[in-house]
Amino acid sequence: MAIASPGQAFWNQRHVLAALAPRLRQMSDAVGRPSDLSLRQWNQLLAFALEFRPDLILELGRGHGNSTCCFLEAARHIEATGGRCRLVSLCLDDTWAVQTAKRLRPLCDDSWFGRGAILRKNILEHDFEAELTPAQRVFLFWDAHGVVVADCVLSRIMPLLASRPHVVAMHDMCHSVYDMQNRKKPYGDAHIWDGECATTNFFRVNGVMSSVTQAILAMDFTERNDIPLHAAGEGMHHDVMQHPERVAELRRLLGEDLVNQSAMWFWFSLNEAPGELTFPRPCPRPLSQVSLLRRMMRAGRRLARRIARV
Amino acid sequence: MPITSPAQALWNQRERIADNRDRIGALMSAVGRSTDLTPFQWAQLLAFALEFRPDLIIELGRERGNSTCCFLEAARLLAPSPCSVVSLCLTDLWQRETAPRLRPLCDVDWFARGRVLTQNLLTFDFAAALAQSRRCLLFWDAHGFDIAECVLGKVLPLLHGREHVVTLHDMTDLRYDGAPPADYDEHGLWKGERDSRGRFWIGSIASHVAQAISVVDFTTRNRIPLHPAAESLHALFKNDPVRTSELRRLLGDDLFSLSAHWFWFSTAEAPGRVVYPPCPSLNNAPTHRGGWRRWLRPARALKRVFRSDPV
């Protein structure tokens, strides 16, 4: 079954979004970081998730938890409409537990929180095989940066997803046509992108503007597997903005500011691959901190024995 | 004046290259690293340089000196027109190994056309080197984002007022150069500038060098065509059996190929004002950005302390 574009999803889920609009706004305010994920992106991602109806949403990278909140809301709505959905969120940051969850308590009940396993954990140490075993339909949100995480996603997680219906949504990537009003291209004060992630030094390559390494590696991965790397903004353009009657209705339902083709996120799915798939060979897993500590203690004991012998 | 394409250059210079075929073979054997620069790349770059007729060739990255040798040969063939080569690399393999092997083949004048320097190009005074030049060919074979920032932010603004062409090694066009298998090889993902093993595919470009990303970014921003050399070879020769057979007869199968695995561009082809990235320090190696956070990663910090300078 073809995956509905973010634009089609936005249109199909318009009444749900309209009903949830005040609640989403309250949640976004409670998280208090609209610069990390705008309310427009909240609505687009929520619609995309609702339309896809995953039974597992895997969130890589959380920060303050804008998207966590958005996907917990998606899980709530999927369950309310007869489905089931859980969220597994992985991040090194504990801002969710320390700040965000507390601010959300007045808005969300225990069952809302209960659908999510919000883990403060290194993504590289998570057992995705076990996590994905019961899942039939997976939505992966990729917002953790760097080569090492990309290696984990592309070499360990994607082979597990390939046999299931899935989508991978990627944050922090803009399309130079659909997402950008100002298409001027000077570097300004920015340096060339030097491989560092999430800085203000952006690269523009193949219609993609980004500053995160995984954008390059996702382009590489989708190119090798001959699958499209979709700009969400492209879907918004073709399935919403090109239809004046849809735009008019959406603006009436949701307001002016939420109806815009700019999305600034991308998505892909191996379900769209025309042929055999290829994955990078995984790098060796890093040793966990516990095993590193054990090794250091063992080395310390050996050293102490040697000193004692001397 | 439009820049002659690599294919047209090869066609125009075919007799000259054929006349020097034995000498080219001897030079390549003396350098002894035909995997670094293949014979057909030698012929293509030599023809491109001869056709462009630069008065200065700047080579960034040299190692054993295949391309150094190729460009010094171009300078010899361009004589009496003045043409000099400035070659920058951190290695001294040329002085220690390659040059002694070339001495039986090349006279003092041949060597004298080149300033073959063991120097960090980030600290090189390009303004002084370019001061007398009116027509420059830049060969870019030094890797990394630091170097890309230096070339794009410091060298290209100096070239912009002059006739110039920038040639880039280590970039493959999947449409013309032949696509390798899509499978990731044993090196897995491309892991950033210091890793030269894993490859990335972006659009029709495959490469393992960081500057390929910076160059695609630069040419995209400036709407400058980034030409795969093989594009012109395919356009001119692929459906022309007469020319193809003549080139094969004159040059042989080793010096003629429709593949190239190099690209070129010139800011002279920009349709508007050219924008350059800021270069943090003009004559000093740029300080690494990232601040104290970089030092929180002990393994990387240690590598940084003990590694040699880039190039």
Side-chain angles (χ1 to χ4, degrees):
Chain A
M1 197 176 74
I3 298 161
S5 81
Q8 191 61 51
F10 196 72
W11 172 249
N12 293 350
Q13 299 293 330
R14 63 193 181 281
H15 295 297
V16 178
L17 297 178
L20 290 174
R23 182 172 163 80
L24 295 183
R25 215 171 275 274
Q26 283 177 320
M27 286 178 162
S28 173
D29 289 345
V31 178
R33 292 280 287 212
S35 54
D36 290 355
L37 195 79
S38 68
L39 195 57
R40 188 192 301 158
Q41 290 175 313
W42 268 67
N43 277 267
Q44 291 164 352
L45 284 167
L46 179 58
F48 195 47
L50 291 177
E51 190 71 12
F52 187 70
R53 291 188 74 78
D55 58 8
L56 172 64
I57 299 174
L58 206 48
E59 181 188 47
L60 306 181
R62 180 175 61 238
H64 283 249
N66 268 292
S67 47
T68 318
C69 199
C70 172
F71 293 131
L72 279 171
E73 191 59 15
R76 183 188 71 82
H77 197 270
I78 288 169
E79 200 169 289
T81 51
R84 61 190 175 84
C85 180
R86 66 194 170 96
L87 168 71
V88 174
S89 171
L90 297 162
C91 190
L92 291 172
D93 199 311
D94 66 348
T95 310
W96 175 270
V98 174
Q99 294 179 13
T100 312
K102 287 174 191 163
R103 291 203 207 115
L104 288 165
R105 292 256 171 236
L107 302 170
C108 308
D109 57 21
D110 286 345
S111 61
W112 187 88
F113 284 102
R115 290 181 197 95
I118 315 299
L119 308 175
R120 188 185 175 199
K121 187 176 182 184
N122 187 340
I123 290 164
L124 309 181
E125 291 169 8
H126 193 70
D127 184 352
F128 289 100
E129 197 159 356
E131 194 70 75
L132 286 162
T133 300
Q136 292 183 315
R137 206 169 165 83
V138 182
F139 186 111
L140 175 69
F141 185 64
W142 185 353
D143 195 13
H145 309 315
V147 172
V148 180
V149 174
D151 181 77
C152 175
V153 173
L154 300 177
S155 67
R156 295 184 197 277
I157 303 176
M158 291 313 298
L160 299 169
L161 291 183
S163 58
R164 299 169 166 87
H166 68 275
V167 288
V168 179
M170 301 186 71
H171 196 222
D172 293 320
M173 292 169 68
C174 296
H175 193 278
S176 58
V177 174
Y178 298 109
D179 291 330
M180 304 183 63
Q181 287 176 331
N182 181 1
R183 293 185 197 158
K184 283 186 182 172
K185 298 169 184 172
Y187 289 90
D189 292 332
H191 296 273
I192 66 162
W193 179 73
D194 64 356
E196 288 284 309
C197 284
T199 65
T200 51
N201 303 327
F202 292 93
F203 59 80
R204 290 171 187 247
V205 169
N206 258 27
V208 175
M209 181 174 150
S210 180
S211 69
V212 294
T213 316
Q214 67 265 27
I216 296 284
L217 300 174
M219 279 188 254
D220 175 28
F221 181 77
T222 51
E223 194 74 48
R224 287 174 193 261
N225 283 296
D226 205 9
I227 53 175
L229 180 60
H230 303 277
E234 185 180 14
M236 291 297 291
H237 176 76
H238 289 300
D239 294 321
V240 174
M241 306 311 288
Q242 293 282 70
H243 305 272
E245 73 289 351
R246 290 188 177 186
V247 174
E249 179 167 349
L250 284 164
R251 288 199 170 143
R252 184 179 59 76
L253 285 169
L254 304 173
E256 192 84 20
D257 55 334
L258 295 184
V259 186
N260 191 309
Q261 74 177 24
S262 175
M264 302 194 184
W265 55 278
F266 277 61
W267 69 275
F268 67 89
S269 173
L270 286 174
N271 301 150
E272 296 187 326
E276 210 173 306
L277 302 175
T278 180
F279 303 97
R281 193 176 64 167
C283 287
R285 274 176 201 271
L287 293 170
S288 70
Q289 286 178 345
V290 175
S291 74
L292 266 176
L293 192 64
R294 272 191 203 135
R295 282 178 142 210
M296 286 166 71
M297 286 170 69
R298 238 180 284 152
R301 277 198 296 270
R302 275 200 301 270
L303 187 64
R305 275 199 296 271
R306 269 187 208 168
I307 291 168
R309 257 180 256 147
V310 173
Chain B
M1 197 175 74
I3 296 160
T4 307
S5 74
Q8 192 62 55
L10 189 67
W11 179 251
N12 295 350
Q13 299 293 333
R14 65 192 183 282
E15 302 278 2
R16 216 165 181 193
I17 292 173
D19 290 346
N20 287 280
R21 196 171 146 183
D22 291 343
R23 178 172 167 81
I24 290 169
L27 293 172
M28 281 192 294
S29 298
V31 180
R33 288 281 284 215
S34 60
T35 48
D36 290 356
L37 195 77
T38 60
F40 62 79
Q41 287 177 318
W42 249 82
Q44 290 161 2
L45 286 167
L46 181 58
F48 196 51
L50 291 175
E51 193 70 15
F52 186 69
R53 301 187 69 81
D55 56 23
L56 175 65
I57 298 172
I58 298 179
E59 179 188 47
L60 307 181
R62 178 178 65 240
E63 288 278 337
R64 282 170 201 276
N66 264 295
S67 47
T68 321
C69 201
C70 172
F71 293 129
L72 281 170
E73 190 61 10
R76 181 184 76 84
L77 292 170
L78 285 170
S81 299
C83 177
S84 60
V85 177
V86 173
S87 171
L88 298 164
C89 189
L90 286 175
T91 69
D92 62 353
L93 290 166
W94 173 269
Q95 290 84 350
R96 285 195 292 111
E97 295 181 14
T98 311
R101 287 205 293 262
L102 289 166
R103 293 219 188 273
L105 301 168
C106 308
D107 59 21
V108 177
D109 289 344
W110 188 89
F111 283 101
R113 291 185 192 96
R115 285 171 64 204
V116 183
L117 307 173
T118 299
Q119 184 170 343
N120 186 342
L121 66 90
L122 302 178
T123 57
F124 185 71
D125 185 353
F126 286 97
L130 281 160
Q132 304 300 320
S133 172
R134 289 196 298 186
R135 203 168 165 82
C136 178
L137 186 149
L138 179 73
F139 183 67
W140 186 350
D141 195 14
H143 311 317
F145 289 118
D146 292 354
I147 287 162
E149 189 161 58
C150 172
V151 175
L152 301 175
K154 178 174 150 185
V155 183
L156 288 192
L158 295 169
L159 289 180
H160 190 55
R162 299 168 166 88
E163 292 181 274
H164 70 276
V165 64
V166 180
T167 55
L168 295 143
H169 196 224
D170 291 320
M171 290 173 68
T172 292
D173 191 293
L174 297 166
R175 297 164 300 175
Y176 304 111
D177 290 323
D183 290 340
Y184 289 88
D185 62 18
E186 71 275 18
H187 303 301
L189 286 177
W190 178 74
K191 296 178 192 70
E193 68 168 311
R194 299 293 166 203
D195 177 85
S196 61
R197 294 174 297 173
R199 285 180 160 267
F200 56 83
W201 290 25
I202 293 177
S204 58
I205 295 173
S207 183
H208 60 92
V209 294
Q211 68 267 23
I213 293 170
S214 310
V215 168
V216 172
D217 176 20
F218 177 81
T219 52
T220 302
R221 285 175 198 260
N222 286 299
R223 288 181 288 147
I224 296 169
L226 180 59
H227 304 278
E231 182 180 31
S232 66
L233 293 163
H234 278 246
L236 198 61
F237 303 131
K238 195 178 179 191
N239 297 317
D240 190 339
V242 177
R243 286 190 187 193
T244 303
S245 62
E246 168 146 6
L247 284 167
R248 286 201 194 285
R249 180 181 63 78
L250 285 171
L251 307 180
D253 283 339
D254 56 340
L255 291 185
F256 174 64
S257 170
L258 292 178
S259 296
H261 302 278
W262 57 278
F263 279 60
W264 68 274
F265 71 92
S266 172
T267 60
E269 294 189 331
R273 184 178 69 88
V274 179
V275 295
Y276 303 97
C279 197
S281 55
L282 277 182
N283 280 317
N284 299 307
T287 52
H288 289 290
R289 292 186 302 280
W292 55 272
R293 281 186 194 85
R294 284 173 173 265
W295 298 92
L296 288 180
R297 295 167 179 153
R300 283 197 206 171
L302 283 172
K303 273 185 198 163
R304 206 166 295 122
V305 168
F306 292 112
R307 80 176 177 212
S308 54
D309 283 335
V311 176

